[in-house]
Amino acid sequence: MARAIVYTELGTPDVLHLVDIPDPVAGPGEVVVRIEAAGVNPLDAKLRRGARPSPPIVEPRRVGFDGAGVVSELGEGVTGFAVGDRVAINNVLGTYATALTVPVSRLVRLSDGVTMAEGAALGIPIGTAYQCLRSLKVGQGDALLVHAGSGAVGQAVVQYAVLWGAKVIATGSPARFEQLRALGAIPVAYGDGLADRVREAAPDGVTVALDCIGTDEAIQTSLELVADRNRIATIVRGPDAEEFGIRAFSGGSPIPLTDQEKAWRDEAVPLTVNLIEAGDFQIELGPELPLAEAARAHELIEQNATRGKVILVP
């Protein structure tokens, strides 16, 4: 049998349990992926503890949306993939498992130059970063302020914005400044006087801001520095965005993504695979833990106790 992490009630990380499940079977247009790495996202923990809305739990609920592995079975009508292909799984519930049935539309082929851990780290963070930048129309001549630039979404935001010709100012702790500089950003520290430090780093002004942390400081600094409210967005404070007069992408926003925004999120992963292969994009990887230690992985991300992407390995 396959194995998977599930929970039957909302709560702390200890509600997560490793259980046996029937071996998945590929239906029409689907494949079975033998998972070799699963990416742990903050969203996974927010759903588990009830910080994001979700339907009532009526059966054991699976966990995880991003992963990578090897195709082990093809369903009827599947073309373009073969047993043995290395693939990333983009936004399919249940990646904390040893195997998973995946629609072919949610697969991205991994080149040999991209590791399984890197593939598992792509989906949600990369898609979110890329879509936000496209929605905000970031490009040549912009000065972008990104709050929490050293997180998974923040690092992707920095790299894509720099690739597209923007100047990037990224907030973070001093311990993360070296990483931010390596990606092409100008780092500035959180805390009192943030707006003045950003002005010093961007004397010609800031044209666009993206909040990836959700603090009042991030929102208020963005409002103070960016004249066009349509070019300020949050991925954390969705319910509050309308009150501030800014945009929200996910983050509990009551406004769903448009079809174009969803398409941008899907477009991001294969583009990023190509950039990694070419040496033009970095994924900062953190600890790798056994699948059975999913609760510990959630503790690490909720306590902000590690650097880089936490990966579960079946």
Side-chain angles (χ1 to χ4, degrees), residues 2-311:
R3 308 197 81 192
I5 297 292
V6 303
Y7 59 98
T8 57
E9 60 181 328
L10 303 178
T12 57
D14 60 10
V15 302
L16 299 176
H17 299 288
L18 181 62
V19 300
D20 292 332
I21 60 171
D23 288 325
V25 177
E30 297 177 334
V31 306
V32 173
V33 177
R34 186 184 77 246
I35 296 176
E36 296 190 5
V40 179
N41 290 303
L43 175 62
D44 305 340
K46 291 175 182 178
L47 289 168
R48 184 216 72 232
R49 67 175 186 263
R52 289 285 176 84
S54 61
I57 300 174
V58 295
E59 61 183 0
R61 181 162 293 169
R62 301 284 294 274
V63 193
F65 294 91
D66 299 333
V70 176
V71 174
S72 62
E73 180 185 322
L74 302 178
E76 181 183 349
V78 171
T79 60
F81 290 94
V83 170
D85 282 350
R86 302 172 73 250
V87 293
I89 302 166
N90 181 17
N91 198 14
V92 178
L93 179 62
T95 55
Y96 291 20
T98 58
L100 183 67
T101 301
V102 182
V104 291
S105 62
R106 310 312 303 168
L107 293 175
V108 176
R109 191 182 308 279
L110 290 181
S111 59
D112 290 340
V114 180
T115 68
M116 288 294 183
E118 288 171 331
L122 297 177
I124 287 177
I126 297 298
T128 301
Y130 182 90
Q131 172 263 308
C132 288
L133 293 175
R134 293 294 299 267
S135 295
L136 292 168
K137 300 180 180 178
V138 173
Q140 186 74 38
D142 271 318
L144 166 68
L145 171 62
V146 55
H147 298 278
S150 63
V153 175
Q155 290 195 34
V157 165
V158 169
Q159 291 181 84
Y160 266 110
V162 169
L163 281 171
W164 297 344
K167 177 178 183 176
V168 180
I169 302 93
T171 68
S173 65
R176 303 294 279 147
F177 281 8
E178 183 177 351
Q179 175 68 8
L180 290 169
R181 289 191 185 99
L183 298 179
I186 301 170
V188 294
Y190 301 122
D192 291 345
L194 174 59
D196 289 337
R197 289 191 294 279
V198 174
R199 287 189 183 97
E200 183 178 351
D204 294 329
V206 176
T207 57
V208 57
L210 179 61
D211 162 43
C212 300
I213 193 170
T215 61
D216 289 343
E217 175 189 68
I219 300 295
Q220 295 302 326
T221 300
S222 299
L223 290 170
E224 181 177 343
L225 296 178
V226 179
D228 184 354
R229 296 293 187 266
N230 199 46
R231 300 198 78 198
I232 303 173
T234 178
I235 63 168
V236 186
R237 297 281 290 272
D240 302 334
E242 185 176 1
E243 173 187 343
F244 293 121
I246 64 177
R247 303 170 73 180
F249 305 116
S250 303
S253 172
I255 302 173
L257 295 175
T258 66
D259 289 344
Q260 177 62 78
E261 287 165 344
K262 292 176 183 177
W264 281 331
R265 292 199 174 197
D266 290 343
E267 177 182 302
V269 175
L271 284 175
T272 306
V273 168
N274 292 338
L275 289 170
I276 294 171
E277 175 75 20
D280 294 328
F281 199 98
Q282 300 176 31
I283 299 292
E284 184 182 29
L285 295 173
E288 290 191 2
L289 301 176
L291 182 63
E293 295 184 21
R296 176 58 179 155
H298 277 211
E299 290 173 353
L300 289 174
I301 63 170
E302 289 182 308
Q303 297 167 3
N304 196 26
T306 185
R307 299 179 182 182
K309 188 72 171 182
V310 179
I311 299 293

